[in-house]
Each structure stands twice: as structure tokens, then as C-alpha cells.
């Protein structure tokens, strides 16, 4: 894992400044503390910061040259199947000078051109400079695991692993995008399209390549991977036992992600996904893993019971991190998170993940994490609503009975969640009286809407006049209501944002995070898999439980609830050592004329009085204020 940065002046007669490139790589030194490299040639500047993972010798440093000096590459990520690709390329006559996956990318490009990326199993963002043809080839992995930011100006093309690399070299680009501020407050996910938190800095699209001809100053863009349900079904589902197929895929995905010349550990929340990964490492591959977990005293944030069970079951080397900020400067931590994420973030749970990664530093260089399993195999409670719609669309007595049983199970386990899955189709099918009876069970208090009453609008009119409030997104439909929802979450609405957070938190501490459930083969399998293997007999992520039961303690395999990496921000607002400082910043945000002052006061008073839990929106006000203080802003409404 590394950091890349660079720029190309469109005027071939204009020479690049080495000092400008150095500022860009210095800004992302945390991504690669082990080595630095700069390449400057005429109007081309390519920079790199290295985190040594494979082939720890100096031969692995970048920018890296091909054996004939034709190609120069800067690369961030890992190509996990590089050994198999190298063997295939050697049979074609490829020459290699080191043991890195970086060199494999260059030779793959030499022999297969842009199609080489279709053969890669991994995570990447890279730029290859072809010195013979005068061309630059950019690519990013299928699911945007590794970041890449891009600016196409009249005078230059600028890129970097983080927006701060671009801003370090070109400070004039440090201008907030107010439309993203609007979307952020409405809980629109990050990295959903090319829009970043900065006005002119764009996000390089996932699963895409781009070829730039330096002399002609022309782009050629293309998407090399997209959802093709029928193709995925023929490839992974038809004629196969899905349970056996998934077990093979997740075992192999973990195996590939254990490839490294440094030690690999794992983040462990005590949930099904991270526990499965730890179990495979131990039971299948006989590795005694270092595990890293966050622990809070709060009952609704404490998963130590399950974490202990997994650690004992797998004889791990456990590391418990206690992120409670009694003796920690919480605001300083929030500011650091914002810095490393290049903008505000959606929830205080990132502080827990950030603290875990801080605890990883100095122990291992790589951690495996469970991102992707919930979105592929329906791990969140609201997915039940889509599953119920599929059942009712079948139109049979049997499917209706299943729907009723599922709702009853939800009412038993998570009564407060019924509001999240209600729909006219569900209510009409099971009967309004029965649905209301379920909702009235003891324990279902209902959280109600999160928007304030009509007299407290979320945005000022002045701010709304400056932003695009209507953003269109392409819709991808596949078979089934549940699978269509999961597909959107994997490719657009959830995973890109989660991966943005994963990268920001891990790289803040020079840690490489690998996500086995987002092996592209598992994603293809999951998107083609019938929903009945995802939610079955009221169990979410059924296929993981069924396939990997031997890797899990019984109590974890049978867990229905989940937390992830929660944080008790609601309590910190009321009782925390820095509660007054938090309040001051939240109210300071009201001076920006984005959200009316009375609306901010409404939310704050509701939360502090106990009338409603408003910690989520108050956290957004806080981090927006902290981030906007670092940006160039106009002295007008919404600045």
C-alpha cells in the first residue's frame, strides 16, 4: 500500500517543478513512510510514497521502470494474483527484475494492453507512463478500494491518492463543493459519483481506465467491469452448490490476501464477518492471528463477549483498544480524522475504527477486515423489508406465511426496527391489524422522523440557492427487489463510502487494510445469488453461517444482532469532558448560513433534554464546522 501523486502540464514546452511534486508526496507521507521517489521528465511529474509489503528491498521502490526503461509506473494497492500472472507472462517472454506485483502490472500492460486490468484480482490505483508512445494510462480497481483524485484543468492534469496531495501542489484547489455539503447533510454517501468535497477535484471512477495522449491532449476513457447478472450466474451459480462455492471463494480470497513479506493481522468486531476471516486464517491456514478490537463500557457499544469467544476459539494474539476519550483530546482526534479523510465523515463510529488502526500501528503492517459482507449477503436489518417484498411478489400462500414468520421474528428481536421496513405491500399482505399488533409489542418505542418540525427547516434559502439539490444517479436493476437493493449498495450507495473510510483510517497510521469479501469473484457470486440464500428462515447472511460454521464459535454463528465499531457519541455530547467545546463548535456552524441557527438549537436542545437522540445530525454539524475551517471559503451564505 502506498501513495501516488503527479501532474502533467498540457504545454509540452513547460517543465515541471520538482519542488511542487515533493510537496505533493510530502502531504501523503503517512501512506508510505518507508521510501519516497520522484520522477521528472519534461512536462511529466510522477511521485510515490512507499509502504513496503512485497519485496522489501530497494528494487521495490517507485517510480519503477520496466527492464527496457520504456514504462514508468506509480502504483498504490496490491495485485493478489501477481504470482500466477507473472508465471503466465514469463511463458510469453516477459522479463522481470524484482519480486513485486508492481512490475507485473507493467509487463501485463505491455502484453495485454488496457485489458490487463480484467485479469487483476486486487485493489489498485496506478498511472503508467509509456515513454515511447507519449501516453499515460490510469486505472482504478473494480470497487474503488483504493482512492484516486483527479483534476483536469486548462493548463494541467493533476492526480493523487488523496485530495490533500493535489492541494499541497496546487493550493488554489482547496475550495469546498457546497453541493457535497448539501448531500452530506442529507446523508448521501461519499464517493457515490465523481463529486468530491472539493469544487474542482474529481473522484476517478471505479472499474475504469483512462488513456491520455500527451501530444494530442486527448482522453480515451472506458469501464472494464460492470454488473452482468446473467454472466455472473453462468460463471458462479448454474450447476453448482452455492454453499460449497462460497466456502471455496472466501477461503481462497483470504489465502490470496495473506500474501505478504510482512505479518498480517485482522480487525475483529465480534460480528460474523470479521470472525469468519479470523477463523479461516486459524483453522484453515494454521495462522495465529493478531486481532484488534475496540471496547467501550456502554452496553449498546460493547461486543467484548463475542470478541473474547472468537479469540479463544482461534488462539489469537488479542489487542484490545479502549477508545473512551477520558484522557484523550477527542476534538484533536476528530480533526485528524477529517484531515486524513479529506472532508467530513458521516458518523462517530469512525473514531472507533480510527482508534483500532492506531492500536494496530507498531504491531503489524496489514490487517484483514470484513467490509462488504453485509451489503452482499443482506446483513442489515432494513434488508428484511426488501426480502419481504420478494416473498410477497411470489404471490403464494407459502411465501405469505414466510413473510408473517419473518415479521414476527423481527418484532421479537428488534421491535424498534419495524418502522424501517414498513411498506404498503407488506401491510396489505399481512393485514394492517396484525402489523399494528407487532409494532405495539413492548420495547418498540419507535424513533420517529429525524427531520425537525416544519418551522425548523434544515437549510437556509440562501444556501439552497447556491447548490444543486437534484442529483441523478444511474439505476441498475437485477432479479429481485432485495438483490437490486444490494447491488446499489455494493456499487454506489454504501460500499464506496465505507471503503473511503477504511482507506482514510488505515492509511492515517500507515496500515494496509485488505477486504476479502470484496474479492471480485465473491462480488460476482453474491450479486447473482438468489436472495433466499441471503435471508433464510429469518436469518441474515445465511450462506455465510451455513458455509463457514466450522470457523465460528456457536454463539457467534448464531448471533442476530450486530454493532460493527460503534461509538457512544450521544453520551459524549451530554457528559463528555469536552462537551462544552463540542457545543461551541456545533453552534459556530450556525454562523455559516447553511443551516438556520434555530434549527441547530432545536436539535441540540432535543438531544440534551432527552426528548430525542439527535447525536447523528449534531455530529455532522460538528465535523462540517471543523472541515470548513481548513478550506478557502467565500464570505457569503453557505461559506
Amino acid at each position: 500500500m502506498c501513495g501516488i501523486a503527479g501532474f502533467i502540464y498540457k504545454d509540452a514546452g513547460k517543465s515541471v517543478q520538482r519542488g511542487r511534486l515533493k510537496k505533493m508526496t510530502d502531504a501523503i507521507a503517512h501512506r508510505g513512510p518507508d521510501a519516497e521517489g520522484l520522477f521528472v521528465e519534461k512536462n511529466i511529474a510522477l511521485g510515490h510514497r512507499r509502504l513496503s509489503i512485497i519485496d522489501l528491498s530497494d528494487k521495490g521502490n517507485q517510480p519503477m521502470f520496466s527492464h527496457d526503461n520504456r514504462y514508468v509506473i506509480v502504483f498504490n494497492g496490491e495485485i493478489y494474483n501477481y504470482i500466477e500472472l507473472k508465471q503466465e507472462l514469463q511463458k510469453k517472454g516477459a522479463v522481470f527484475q524484482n519480486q513485486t506485483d508492481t512490475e507485473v502490472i507493467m509487463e501485463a500492460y505491455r502484453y495485454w494492453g488496457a485489458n490487463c486490468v480484467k485479469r487483476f484480482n486486487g485493489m489498485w490505483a496506478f498511472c503508467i507512463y509509456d515513454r515511447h508512445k507519449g501516453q499515460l494510462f490510469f486505472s482504478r480497481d473494480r470497487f474503488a478500494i483504493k482512492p484516486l483524485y483527479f483534476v483536469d484543468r486548462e493548463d494541467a492534469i493533476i492526480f493523487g491518492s488523496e485530495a490533500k496531495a493535489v492541494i499541497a501542489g496546487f493550493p488554489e484547489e482547496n475550495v469546498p463543493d457546497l453541493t457535497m455539503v448539501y448531500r452530506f447533510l442529507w446523508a448521501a454517501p461519499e464517493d457515490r459519483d465523481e463529486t468530491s468535497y472539493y469544487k474542482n477535484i474529481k473522484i476517478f471512477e471505479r472499474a475504469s481506465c483512462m488513456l491520455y495522449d500527451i501530444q494530442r491532449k486527448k482522453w480515451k476513457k472506458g469501464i472494464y467491469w460492470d454488473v452482468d447478472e446473467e454472466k455472473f450466474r453462468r460463471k458462479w451459480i448454474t450447476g453448482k452448490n452455492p454453499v460449497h462455492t462460497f466456502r471455496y471463494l472466501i477461503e481462497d480470497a483470504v489465502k490470496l490476501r495473506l500474501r505478504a513479506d510482512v505479518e498480517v493481522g485482522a480487525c475483529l468486531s465480534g460480528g460474523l464477518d470479521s470472525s469468519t476471516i479470523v477463523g479461516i486464517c486459524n483453522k484453515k491456514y494454521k495462522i495465529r492471528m493478531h486481532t484488534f478490537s475496540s471496547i467501550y463500557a456502554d452496553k449498546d457499544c460493547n461486543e467484548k463477549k463475542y470478541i473474547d469467544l472468537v479469540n479463544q476459539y482461534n488462539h489469537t494474539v488479542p489487542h484490545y483498544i479502549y477508545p473512551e476519550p477520558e484522557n484523550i483530546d477527542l476534538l484533536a482526534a476528530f480533526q485528524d480524522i477529517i484531515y486524513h479523510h479529506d472532508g467530513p465523515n458521516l458518523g462517530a463510529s469512525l473514531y472507533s475504527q480510527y482508534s483500532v488502526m492506531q492500536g494496530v500501528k507498531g504491531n503489524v503492517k496489514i490487517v484483514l477486515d470484513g467490509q462488504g459482507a453485509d451489503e452482499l449477503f443482506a446483513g442489515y436489518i432494513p434488508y428484511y423489508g426488501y426480502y419481504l417484498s420478494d416473498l410477497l411478489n411470489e404471490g403464494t400462500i407459502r411465501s405469505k406465511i414466510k413473510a408473517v414468520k419473518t415479521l414476527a421474528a423481527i418484532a421479537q428481536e428488534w421491535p424498534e426496527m419495524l418502522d424501517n421496513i414498513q411498506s404498503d405491500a407488506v401491510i396489505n399482505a399481512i393485514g394492517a391489524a396484525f402489523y399494528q399488533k407487532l409494532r405495539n409489542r413492548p420495547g418498540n418505542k419507535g424513533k420517529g422522523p429525524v427531520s425537525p418540525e416544519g418551522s425548523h427547516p434544515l437549510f437556509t434559502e440562501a444556501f439552497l440557492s447556491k447548490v444543486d439539490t437534484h442529483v441523478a444517479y444511474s439505476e441498475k436493476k437485477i432479479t429481485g427487489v432485495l438483490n437490486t437493493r444490494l447491488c446499489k449498495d455494493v456499487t454506489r450507495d454504501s460500499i464506496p463510502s465505507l471503503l473511503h473510510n477504511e482507506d482514510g483510517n488505515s492509511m492515517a497510521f500507515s496500515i494496509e487494510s485488505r477486504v476479502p469479501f470484496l474479492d471480485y469473484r465473491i462480488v460476482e457470486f453474491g450479486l447473482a445469488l438468489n436472495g433466499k440464500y441471503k435471508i433464510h428462515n429469518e436469518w441474515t447472511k445465511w450462506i455465510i453461517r451455513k458455509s463457514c460454521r466450522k470457523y465460528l464459535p456457536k454463539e457467534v454463528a448464531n448471533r442476530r444482532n450486530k454493532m460493527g465499531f460503534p461509538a457512544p457519541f450521544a453520551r459524549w455530547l451530554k457528559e463528555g469532558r469536552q462537551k462544552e467545546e463540542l457545543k461551541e463548535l456545533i453552534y459556530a456552524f450556525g454562523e455559516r448560513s447553511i443551516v438556520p441557527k434555530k434549527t441547530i438549537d432545536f436539535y441540540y436542545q432535543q438531544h440534551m433534554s432527552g426528548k430525542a437522540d439527535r447525536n447523528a445530525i449534531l455530529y455532522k454539524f460538528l465535523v462540517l464546522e471543523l472541515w470548513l475551517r481548513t478550506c478557502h471559503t467565500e464570505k457569503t451564505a453557505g461559506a
Side-chain angles (χ1 to χ4, degrees):
M1 194 77 66
C2 305
I4 64 175
F7 59 98
I8 305 96
Y9 285 129
K10 293 182 178 179
D11 180 354
K14 185 175 181 179
S15 298
V16 299
Q17 305 91 1
R18 190 179 184 89
R20 188 190 292 267
L21 180 62
K22 180 72 163 59
K23 288 180 181 178
M24 296 174 74
T25 56
D26 284 349
I28 52 173
H30 51 276
R31 300 188 72 90
D34 296 332
E36 177 188 25
L38 305 176
F39 170 82
V40 173
E41 184 173 87
K42 299 179 181 177
N43 59 326
I44 311 292
L46 304 177
H48 188 264
R49 295 291 314 208
R50 186 186 183 196
L51 182 66
S52 303
I53 299 293
I54 295 173
D55 189 346
L56 307 183
S57 72
D58 290 345
K59 291 182 179 180
N61 291 346
Q62 300 179 42
M64 185 181 290
F65 292 79
S66 60
H67 66 89
D68 58 358
N69 287 328
R70 173 176 175 173
Y71 300 106
V72 186
I73 186 173
V74 285
F75 161 53
N76 169 33
E78 301 290 347
I79 306 301
Y80 302 119
N81 62 333
Y82 76 101
I83 294 174
E84 292 78 10
L85 291 173
K86 185 173 184 176
Q87 292 169 348
E88 187 176 352
L89 287 163
Q90 285 174 325
K91 291 177 182 177
K92 292 179 174 290
V95 176
F96 293 92
Q97 305 174 102
N98 57 57
Q99 303 303 313
T100 67
D101 55 339
T102 308
E103 192 174 28
V104 171
I105 295 174
M106 283 192 292
E107 293 305 306
Y109 182 64
R110 182 196 302 273
Y111 283 90
W112 297 317
N115 285 328
C116 67
V117 295
K118 296 179 181 180
R119 297 171 178 259
F120 297 161
N121 185 341
M123 53 183 182
W124 67 85
F126 64 76
C127 171
I128 298 176
Y129 172 35
D130 184 338
R131 301 168 84 186
H132 289 188
K133 290 187 176 181
Q135 295 177 338
L136 293 156
F137 179 69
F138 296 85
S139 181
R140 194 177 183 200
D141 64 71
R142 296 171 181 87
F143 312 115
I145 301 173
K146 288 294 99 195
L148 184 60
Y149 292 88
F150 214 83
V151 183
D152 184 5
R153 308 195 322 187
E154 286 188 10
D155 63 329
I157 295 152
I158 313 159
F159 68 92
S161 292
E162 299 179 16
K164 68 177 64 62
V166 173
I167 292 168
F170 300 84
E172 63 273 20
E173 300 299 345
N174 186 17
V175 179
D177 188 312
L178 296 183
T179 294
M180 270 301 293
V181 172
Y182 169 83
R183 287 162 63 175
F184 174 79
L185 286 170
W186 272 125
E190 302 159 296
D191 289 28
R192 200 177 191 188
D193 56 20
E194 69 171 9
T195 311
S196 81
Y197 283 110
Y198 297 90
K199 188 173 182 180
N200 298 319
I201 303 175
K202 304 303 179 185
I203 297 170
F204 196 89
E205 192 173 1
R206 66 164 183 83
S208 64
C209 296
M210 192 156 58
L211 187 69
Y212 179 68
D213 188 295
I214 298 170
Q215 186 172 3
R216 297 172 62 203
K217 303 178 185 177
K218 295 215 174 195
W219 293 108
K220 183 179 179 182
K221 302 179 181 180
I223 302 295
Y224 62 85
W225 184 94
D226 204 355
V227 176
D228 187 333
E229 182 186 10
E230 187 53 41
K231 178 182 175 182
F232 297 167
R233 187 179 289 115
R234 291 194 306 268
K235 187 175 180 181
W236 300 112
I237 306 296
T238 304
K240 299 179 176 67
N241 183 322
V243 173
H244 295 166
T245 300
F246 176 74
R247 184 185 301 120
Y248 161 74
L249 288 174
I250 188 60
E251 288 174 350
D252 195 61
V254 171
K255 179 182 178 181
L256 286 177
R257 283 156 184 78
L258 289 170
R259 286 180 170 174
D261 293 330
V262 295
E263 192 168 11
V264 180
C267 293
L268 177 62
S269 69
L272 191 66
D273 315 329
S274 60
S275 301
T276 295
I277 292 170
V278 173
I280 291 172
C281 291
N282 177 255
K283 305 300 182 187
K284 178 75 175 177
Y285 300 118
K286 311 303 179 187
I287 298 173
R288 190 182 183 204
M289 298 290 286
H290 285 259
T291 63
F292 302 87
S293 311
S294 67
I295 308 293
Y296 290 102
D298 302 62
K299 184 179 178 181
D300 59 349
C301 295
N302 194 328
E303 296 195 274
K304 189 172 185 298
K305 168 186 172 182
Y306 298 105
I307 293 167
D308 287 343
L309 286 169
V310 175
N311 283 324
Q312 292 163 12
Y313 189 69
N314 293 289
H315 310 289
T316 66
V317 181
H319 300 262
Y320 294 131
I321 292 95
Y322 296 87
E324 185 65 34
E326 296 303 330
N327 300 307
I328 296 171
D329 188 337
L330 186 62
L331 281 175
F334 285 163
Q335 288 173 321
D336 197 46
I337 292 169
I338 290 166
Y339 173 78
H340 285 289
H341 288 254
D342 285 319
N345 48 82
L346 289 172
S349 62
L350 262 69
Y351 170 73
S352 298
Q353 187 188 48
Y354 168 90
S355 299
V356 168
M357 294 299 178
Q358 190 174 33
V360 172
K361 188 175 179 64
N363 289 289
V364 298
K365 268 190 170 183
I366 302 171
V367 288
L368 305 184
D369 212 340
Q371 297 286 14
D374 287 308
E375 290 77 8
L376 280 169
F377 302 110
Y380 297 126
I381 307 306
Y383 288 138
Y384 276 114
Y386 302 99
Y387 168 69
L388 289 168
S389 294
D390 280 335
L391 285 178
L392 298 173
N393 287 339
E394 290 180 22
T396 66
I397 296 296
R398 183 179 180 183
S399 63
K400 185 174 180 179
I401 291 171
K402 276 189 176 182
V404 171
K405 286 184 176 179
T406 300
L407 273 170
I410 295 168
Q412 179 68 34
E413 294 286 340
W414 314 284
E416 74 281 359
M417 297 303 296
L418 284 174
D419 284 340
N420 293 344
I421 62 171
Q422 66 177 314
S423 71
D424 290 340
V426 171
I427 295 171
N428 291 338
I430 69 171
F434 178 70
Y435 179 79
Q436 193 60 39
K437 183 178 180 180
L438 290 175
R439 290 192 75 242
N440 291 337
R441 287 178 60 91
N444 182 17
K445 299 178 181 178
K447 294 186 178 179
V450 296
S451 298
E453 282 69 13
S455 60
H456 299 90
L458 186 56
F459 299 105
T460 65
E461 290 297 327
F463 176 72
L464 288 176
S465 69
K466 301 177 67 174
V467 302
D468 180 2
T469 61
H470 180 266
V471 184
Y473 300 108
S474 60
E475 296 290 337
K476 191 84 175 181
K477 288 191 176 182
I478 58 179
T479 303
V481 178
L482 174 61
N483 273 355
T484 295
R485 177 69 265 168
L486 296 174
C487 179
K488 290 176 182 176
D489 283 348
V490 169
T491 60
R492 190 192 73 186
D493 292 345
S494 179
I495 287 298
S497 179
L498 291 172
L499 292 173
H500 174 102
N501 297 337
E502 185 88 18
D503 180 82
N505 277 339
S506 59
M507 293 312 299
F509 300 102
S510 309
I511 303 298
E512 175 172 307
S513 177
R514 298 178 174 183
V515 283
F517 282 103
L518 289 176
D519 185 299
Y520 79 94
R521 300 168 298 172
I522 293 178
V523 174
E524 292 179 355
F525 168 83
L527 293 178
L529 185 66
N530 191 299
K532 69 182 182 181
Y533 290 98
K534 299 173 182 180
I535 298 179
H536 183 71
N537 290 338
E538 296 86 55
W539 289 96
T540 61
K541 293 189 283 194
W542 180 85
I543 195 164
I544 301 179
R545 301 175 197 272
K546 182 71 172 178
S547 301
C548 300
R549 186 166 290 272
K550 66 181 179 180
Y551 296 128
L552 297 163
K554 181 180 178 181
E555 296 86 346
V556 174
N558 294 335
R559 279 192 72 176
R560 285 186 181 271
N561 64 326
K562 68 180 278 89
M563 295 182 192
F565 279 134
F569 185 68
R571 174 169 59 80
W572 295 342
L573 281 169
K574 293 181 178 182
E575 306 171 10
R577 180 172 56 88
Q578 294 175 289
K579 64 180 182 180
E580 292 302 321
E581 294 171 79
L582 296 177
K583 177 183 178 181
E584 181 181 344
L585 285 162
I586 289 167
Y587 277 88
F589 180 66
E591 301 298 326
R592 294 185 179 274
S593 299
I594 295 173
V595 176
K597 295 178 183 179
K598 64 180 180 179
T599 298
I600 292 176
D601 184 63
F602 172 83
Y603 278 128
Y604 188 82
Q605 297 303 330
Q606 273 210 326
H607 183 81
M608 298 304 286
S609 68
K611 289 181 179 179
D613 182 354
R614 302 298 193 181
N615 87 88
I617 191 68
L618 293 173
Y619 179 81
K620 289 183 182 181
F621 297 156
L622 169 70
V623 294
L624 270 173
E625 175 61 24
L626 289 173
W627 171 61
L628 286 168
R629 291 184 177 194
T630 70
C631 299
H632 304 319
T633 56
E634 301 173 1
K635 300 299 181 182
T636 55

